[in-house]
Amino acid sequence: MTAFPVQRLRRLRGTPALRRLVAEHDLSPRRLVLPLFVKEAITAAQPIASMPGVMQYPIEQLAEVVEQAAAAGIGGIMLFGVPTVRDAVGSGATDPDGILNRAIAVAARAASGRLTVQADLCLDEFTDHGHCGVLANDGSVDNDASLEIYARVAVAQAEAGADILGLSGMMDGQVAACRAALDAVGRSDVALLAYSAKYASAFYGPFRDAVESTLTGDRRTYQLDPANGREGVREARADIDEGADIVMVKPAGPYLDVLAEVVAASEVPVWAYQVSGEYAMVEHAAAAGVIDRERAIGEALLGIRRAGAEAILTYWAIEVAGWLRDGRSLA
Ligand code: PBG
């Protein structure tokens, strides 16, 4: 007689109601953070060709976008500034009148506590050479000189009204430097999100369009080597020791193993950044008719959540929050 299987895993997959009940993971709008690009000296929102559906906003339109984000119930926004003038030391990042600091103030006012206002703390949008730090005479990126500037940027962003500062520059010691600077001016309330395991990735390509990056060359002397997993965990541990309130892995999709290991090793919240290239791949493939756009978005996000991310930075934040509110499942 044929031995019929006793273990029937299909049993719980038979109907949508069963599948919904036994789903191990899901998402909610509060776990989504929307990156936003605010560009100086434009009067209308401008599309970003490499990221269909994503815009650069004039500061005048920011309050309206924050309103939409708050209405969608998402957890926060991450602001990036696109200045008109750049220089060797990224002066626009420390200037209270710099585009990013002005944007933080506008967003904080518009949000009025309904979502968190987060700001990218890095120099690459503000330097004429496009590196995340300042350069030494030999052209290398000077870690410790950059830390002194980061410390001033941290204070400027805190004064502008940011709730969380996103340390994305990958300089050693950046968390400790910014924490000390903030505490010294009485801003122990401002939280630090460390982009701990930030890999030197081709998936940032469309972002560099979005911020009109001037970089030539690459960031391999400070961002992580994609070949290294354990080192990503070590970076996260180091940042936690320095006082990071939240650690992050970036990009998300190609680094889910690192994400899961950081989650296992971390006592602070762990987030992931689904970056511009991850977004662009799905949008362009969907536009070409070769992939089901909404299912692909849902599956990519669910994978990041399943690997353990407690919040996800994603350019789809508002749209997906809408799906979740309508009670749709992601996969
Ligand atoms: C650096 C920064 C980058 C991204 C976020 N912060 C670019 C880089 O390191 O080259 C990339 C985000 C994305 O690709 O969506 N300020």
Side-chain angles (χ1 to χ4, degrees), residues 61-201:
Q61 218 175 302
L62 182 57
E64 188 184 318
V65 180
V66 171
E67 197 55 51
Q68 289 164 13
I74 64 172
I77 54 168
M78 172 62 76
L79 293 167
F80 294 92
V82 187
T84 45
V85 179
R86 300 168 192 222
D87 64 19
V89 294
S91 307
T94 44
D95 182 353
D97 284 329
I99 183 65
L100 179 54
N101 292 325
R102 284 196 286 133
I104 293 167
V106 168
R109 212 171 307 123
S112 65
R114 290 174 298 167
L115 50 71
T116 61
V117 173
Q118 310 177 22
D120 186 54
L121 199 166
C122 194
L123 294 182
D124 64 319
E125 284 92 38
F126 297 95
T127 52
D128 50 14
H129 46 73
H131 274 295
C132 296
V134 290
L135 304 184
N137 289 336
D138 64 1
S140 64
V141 176
D142 187 334
N143 193 90
D144 298 9
S146 302
L147 293 185
E148 287 175 26
I149 302 180
Y150 285 8
R152 288 167 38 219
V153 178
V155 172
Q157 294 184 344
E159 290 308 307
D163 300 304
I164 302 177
L165 310 186
L167 276 54
S168 69
M170 286 302 285
M171 295 301 122
D172 289 324
Q174 61 184 11
V175 175
C178 292
R179 185 71 274 156
L182 290 167
D183 291 355
V185 297
R187 296 310 304 267
S188 57
D189 58 317
V190 175
L192 299 181
L193 159 65
Y195 285 55
S196 298
K198 179 173 177 182
Y199 285 84
S201 175

Side-chain angles (χ1 to χ4, degrees), residues 240-330:
I240 293 167
D241 288 345
E242 287 182 29
D245 298 289
I246 303 160
V247 294
M248 188 151 74
V249 175
K250 175 187 176 189
Y255 297 90
L256 294 183
D257 57 328
V258 179
L259 176 58
E261 285 171 33
V262 170
V263 168
S266 171
E267 289 162 358
V268 305
V270 181
W271 295 5
Y273 196 144
Q274 183 184 54
V275 302
S276 56
E278 299 177 78
Y279 174 90
M281 282 195 299
V282 172
E283 290 292 346
H284 289 286
V290 299
I291 200 169
D292 179 325
R293 177 178 178 275
E294 297 190 2
R295 287 190 59 200
I297 293 170
E299 192 175 331
L301 286 169
L302 211 45
I304 297 165
R305 175 80 185 111
R306 194 183 62 242
E310 294 163 85
I312 304 172
L313 276 69
T314 174
Y315 298 95
W316 289 302
I318 288 184
E319 182 177 359
V320 170
W323 303 348
L324 295 168
R325 262 203 329 276
D326 294 344
R328 285 170 49 182
S329 73
L330 286 181

